[in-house]
Structures are given as C-alpha cells and as structure tokens.
Amino acid sequence: MRLRQPMPEISGATEWLNGEFTRNQLVGEKPTLIHFWSISCHLCKVAMPSVNELRDNYKEELNVMAVHMPRSDKDMNLEEIKQVAAEHQISQPIFIDDEHKLTAAFENQYVPAYYLFDKNGLLRHFQAGGSGLKMLEKRVIRVLEEMEKEE
C-alpha cells in the first residue's frame, strides 16, 4: 500500500477473536492502527508490549486492530493463536487471516507490520520490523494533532 491510499475493506477473516471491526466502524471518528503479527514471529512478541502500550495510552483517541497473518501451516492452530494472544495481552480485536485475504488487500509481506490510518481512512504511515516503535508513536501523535487542528 502507498501513503494516502484508503483503507481496504476489512473482510475475509477465517475467525475473529476479542470482537470484530468493519471498515465503516474504523473510518470517520478516529485514527486506526492495524498491526500484522504471527505466532511464529519472535519480533512480533518482543514488540507486543509497545503495541499494547500505544493501545492503552491512546484508547480514547485511536482504534487498534490486530491481524494474525500465518507464515506457515503451523501458524494456523487457533488454540495456539488464542494462547499466544492471551500471553501477550492482545485484547484488541484480532482478524485471523488464514487465507491471506486481508494480507493481500494490504499488499503486506511482513510481520510485524504496522499501518496507521487517519480518521478518514487514509494510510499515513507504514512500518515493518520490530524496531522503530518510538517512530510509530510519533506518527500516531502527529495524526492526532492534525485531527485536533481540523476540529
């Protein structure tokens, strides 16, 4: 995905955990962070406390959604996904993407990967890999500040 592209439809989940989102629910009121992860991804687990901190610190101003993107057939064990999600306090809705439908819509190839959309559903920041989560928070703050100026 390129910057300023609209958020794809949120559809094609093989399962949802912790609730469910549609694109319409994510666009209009506040920015959205969508992060891709996988149970076999060590960097995803290392980064999860920072993602959870963002989720908790900005819970009133930011939607957060997780996408579990399996990297192999072993990553498709739903019970293991639930267990790892619980261990790492992933309480936000988790889109289980066993068929890679959302992954394809995002043109995503990485875990962890982070997509930050403004309240209008336009992509404002993309980041992949385990490092640089301070930069992600700076982008979140910038998008929130821009939103305040618009009001």
Side-chain angles (χ1 to χ4, degrees), residues 4-147:
R4 305 282 180 184
Q5 274 191 293
M7 181 189 297
E9 286 300 325
I10 307 296
S11 62
T14 48
E15 184 96 28
W16 278 93
L17 303 176
N18 305 333
E20 193 170 326
F21 277 129
T22 64
R23 183 183 186 282
N24 288 346
Q25 289 172 306
L26 295 173
V27 174
E29 287 188 36
K30 52 189 176 180
T32 298
L33 173 63
I34 297 178
H35 65 100
F36 286 75
W37 68 288
S38 184
I39 56 174
S40 65
C41 167
H42 175 71
L43 284 177
C44 297
K45 295 170 185 172
V46 170
M48 205 55 73
S50 297
V51 174
N52 292 343
E53 195 174 305
L54 270 176
R55 176 199 65 210
D56 296 343
N57 289 346
Y58 299 98
K59 65 179 171 256
E60 301 303 320
E61 303 112 318
L62 182 69
N63 294 312
V64 178
M65 182 181 120
V67 179
H68 183 267
M69 180 185 119
R71 300 191 300 172
S72 69
D73 287 346
K74 289 192 324 190
D75 287 348
M76 293 187 189
N77 179 330
L78 188 60
E79 292 309 310
E80 190 175 348
I81 295 168
K82 288 177 181 177
Q83 179 186 340
V84 172
E87 286 170 8
H88 293 277
Q89 288 98 39
I90 306 173
S91 60
Q92 59 270 29
I94 304 171
F95 181 109
I96 307 296
D97 198 17
D98 284 354
E99 297 172 3
H100 284 185
K101 289 182 179 174
L102 197 60
T103 300
F106 274 74
E107 302 169 16
N108 183 51
Q109 301 171 22
Y110 310 102
V111 288
Y114 308 92
Y115 293 82
L116 177 63
F117 295 89
D118 63 21
K119 72 174 187 175
N120 300 314
L122 300 178
L123 182 63
R124 298 298 301 280
H125 181 68
F126 165 75
Q127 186 171 316
S131 61
L133 286 171
K134 289 285 178 227
M135 176 60 78
L136 180 61
E137 184 169 17
K138 286 177 182 169
R139 296 289 192 241
V140 167
I141 291 167
R142 181 183 296 165
V143 168
L144 291 172
E145 286 172 349
E146 287 174 10
M147 199 173 89

